[in-house]
Amino acid sequence: MLLPETLRKYQNEYVASIAATLSVFMVVTTNAWSSPALPKLRAEDSPIRITEDEGSWIVAIQALGAGFGPIFTGVAADRIGRKLTCLSTCIPATVGWILIGVGDQVGYLYAARFLFGVSYGVVYSVTPIYLGEITSDAIRGSAGTLITVLAKLGFMAVYCIGPYVAYRTLAWMSMAGPVIFVVCYIWMPESPYYLLGKNKDAKAEKSLSWLRRLKDVSDELQAMKRSVESSKSDRTSIKELFNPANRASLRILLILVFSMQMTGLLAILGYAQTIFEKINTNLKPEEMSIVLGAVQFVAVIFPAVLVDRMGRRPLLLLSTAVTAASLLACSIYFIIEPNATNHGWIAFVTLLLYIVSYGMGLASVSFAVSSEIFPKNIRALANAAFAMFSALVVLGVVKMFQVTLDSVGPQLPFGIFGICGCVGFVLIYFFVPETKGLSLDEIQQVMNRQNKKPA
């Protein structure tokens, strides 16, 4: 009965959070597109014939665009607001789908994927800020995991539909993502923290009252106002990220980026159908992709329930340990079975375990933590940096994945990903604190204590 009671108490906060994270669903469908699209582009009846190298750039160039998205977020989130910044992401996503729908040369695909990346980068840098600022302390962690839940729903949708519709039909169908997001999110309130920062106290009170489902929110509003006024005296610039006062927070940010991206999820998901072609099971590659999509969607539902009970740190550690073990097991399989002709189900099940373990913590809890650990005056810049660092790492990982896959075999990239997972576990163990149940101000006190420890 506890969960329904929690949902009733915080229902408006969850509604706003789900509406905001529909932006994640929208941009993740652009990312997942490459898995069913690449086999169609390499087929004999391809609408646009591509080489293997062009295929790797089609996947990788989205990460390049994602590096530019946070630059826009770092400026726009504190000027036009979290809400309008997030809504603006539907424009490059929509233009990208149009380019794929009408394009007849690989250049159209490069342009579309770059625009997808810009949209992706903005969404993943502004949405965690919005969720962190509209939700109560008690549910901030579970609301943050909605980013990953909607992301996995986006992957599952593309994996289920993509292999069975025509190449251009998939592009036109994917236009539903921006439409659904805008229709649902346009009615949601702006962050009360942002409104207070712009001296729009009446609007901030109205926003907070709707979110909390309370007529009198004066106490919390005053606490927010004190926090905002305190942060106004602090400088807001990219240099502040590297201020010694934010050293511990920046270190955690880099650890999360490393642990998330160097374990190769986006490369594996982007090439899922291609990887499954190298595994011999009773299922077709597209059918294995559907199973993978369904499993990862189910897996990330659990952190939404557990993160505010079990805590951020235990979930991150468990997730990283099992992720690393699964990747190393996959690498060993491909070494022992170089032609992948026997016992393919072992590799497939191990990949599913990897997806489940990654979704249980790295894919979900990381966003909750990254939205909490920086002070308000640089929170937008910090989340932009998170997305930008991620984009740069992903660009290299995705591009090199195809190179190593073709030149050596899957055992090399999977082995590297597994070793990086082991390193990530050690770093999280020593440097990432627990933030469960703490207010944003209390978390800053934890970060200040971390800064006083020897580097």
Side-chain angles (χ1 to χ4, degrees):
M1 294 297 292
L2 182 60
L3 185 58
E5 181 181 345
T6 300
L7 288 174
R8 284 194 298 271
K9 182 177 180 180
Y10 301 107
Q11 70 179 36
N12 284 8
E13 295 178 41
Y14 277 122
V15 167
S17 297
I18 292 171
T21 49
L22 283 171
S23 63
V24 176
F25 176 89
M26 173 186 70
V27 297
V28 164
T29 58
T30 70
N31 197 303
W33 168 87
S34 62
S35 180
L38 286 180
K40 296 178 189 295
L41 290 169
R42 290 196 295 257
E44 289 296 327
D45 59 347
S46 170
I48 307 174
R49 294 301 298 273
I50 63 169
T51 65
E52 292 292 339
D53 185 63
E54 287 172 338
S56 68
W57 277 115
I58 287 171
V59 177
I61 203 167
Q62 179 158 342
L64 181 62
F68 288 88
I71 299 174
F72 173 76
T73 302
V75 176
D78 286 326
R79 294 192 180 183
I80 65 174
R82 283 68 162 129
K83 180 180 175 180
L84 281 179
T85 301
C86 199
L87 280 172
S88 69
T89 59
C90 70
I91 298 173
T94 301
V95 174
W97 287 124
I98 292 173
L99 290 175
I100 290 179
V102 303
D104 57 0
Q105 296 179 7
V106 72
Y108 285 91
L109 303 185
Y110 290 158
R113 294 288 287 178
F114 183 85
L115 289 172
F116 287 159
V118 172
S119 184
Y120 188 97
V122 175
V123 163
Y124 268 90
S125 51
V126 73
T127 305
I129 303 172
Y130 181 79
L131 298 185
E133 293 181 350
I134 68 166
T135 52
S136 302
D137 297 340
I139 66 161
R140 190 182 305 112
S142 59
T145 62
L146 288 173
I147 292 174
T148 307
V149 172
L150 270 292
K152 302 314 178 187
L153 183 61
F155 272 108
M156 187 171 69
V158 175
Y159 286 175
C160 290
I161 298 170
Y164 304 104
V165 299
Y167 168 81
R168 298 193 191 279
T169 301
L170 178 59
W172 299 123
M173 291 179 67
S174 298
M175 295 278 284
V179 173
I180 294 171
F181 163 57
V182 172
V183 168
C184 293
Y185 185 55
I186 199 169
W187 311 104
M188 296 300 112
E190 176 59 273
S191 159
Y193 276 96
Y194 167 77
L195 293 170
L196 288 171
K198 295 298 182 180
N199 297 317
K200 299 179 180 180
D201 293 15
K203 290 185 177 180
E205 183 176 8
K206 183 178 179 181
S207 171
L208 189 61
S209 180
W210 183 86
L211 289 165
R212 302 295 186 261
R213 303 180 70 215
L214 296 171
K215 291 183 179 179
D216 184 9
V217 291
S218 55
D219 289 345
E220 184 177 2
L221 194 69
Q222 286 303 313
M224 285 183 174
K225 195 169 185 178
R226 287 193 296 270
S227 177
V228 170
E229 288 174 350
S230 175
S231 68
K232 279 184 176 180
S233 61
D234 298 325
R235 292 173 294 177
T236 302
S237 71
I238 194 68
K239 292 181 180 179
E240 290 302 300
L241 283 176
F242 303 95
N243 189 311
N246 296 313
R247 182 187 64 203
S249 300
L250 182 62
R251 181 172 58 206
I252 292 170
L253 185 77
L254 294 174
I255 289 171
L256 294 175
V257 169
F258 176 87
S259 301
M260 288 179 68
Q261 308 305 347
M262 288 303 295
T263 45
L265 182 78
L266 291 180
I268 292 171
L269 293 179
Y271 287 100
Q273 206 164 313
T274 302
I275 295 171
F276 291 145
E277 289 173 355
K278 300 179 181 296
I279 298 175
N280 184 29
T281 71
N282 293 329
L283 297 175
K284 297 177 181 178
E286 56 268 28
E287 293 172 339
M288 285 190 275
S289 296
I290 293 172
V291 174
L292 181 143
V295 167
Q296 69 171 346
F297 173 65
V298 173
V300 297
I301 294 176
F302 294 105
V305 178
L306 295 175
V307 68
D308 286 315
R309 299 184 185 182
M310 185 174 173
R312 279 73 155 154
R313 180 178 158 86
L315 280 175
L316 280 173
L317 288 171
L318 177 63
S319 171
T320 310
V322 181
T323 291
S326 302
L327 288 165
L328 291 174
C330 256
S331 178
I332 292 171
Y333 166 82
F334 284 118
I335 293 172
I336 296 174
E337 296 283 349
N339 298 317
T341 56
N342 300 311
H343 309 298
W345 61 270
I346 296 176
F348 182 50
V349 171
T350 306
L351 273 173
L352 294 182
L353 179 60
Y354 160 72
I355 292 297
V356 170
S357 60
Y358 190 97
M360 287 289 287
L362 285 174
S364 48
V365 181
S366 299
F367 293 108
V369 174
S370 69
S371 67
E372 298 173 332
I373 57 176
F374 284 92
K376 190 265 176 189
N377 65 304
I378 59 169
R379 200 171 296 146
L381 287 172
N383 279 275
F386 182 90
M388 189 178 297
F389 292 154
S390 294
L392 293 175
V393 175
V394 169
L395 176 62
V397 168
V398 171
K399 179 60 181 172
M400 293 309 298
F401 181 83
Q402 179 68 55
V403 174
T404 55
L405 190 69
D406 292 339
S407 60
V408 180
Q411 64 271 21
L412 179 58
F414 276 93
I416 293 172
F417 294 156
I419 292 170
C420 289
C422 294
V423 174
F425 176 87
V426 174
L427 293 174
I428 290 170
Y429 180 83
F430 283 106
F431 296 112
V432 178
E434 181 58 77
T435 59
K436 181 184 77 170
L438 301 180
S439 69
L440 295 177
D441 287 338
E442 289 170 334
I443 292 171
Q444 287 310 301
Q445 294 173 17
V446 172
M447 291 297 101
N448 290 335
R449 289 195 294 270
Q450 290 260 9
N451 281 322
K452 293 177 182 178
K453 294 180 180 180

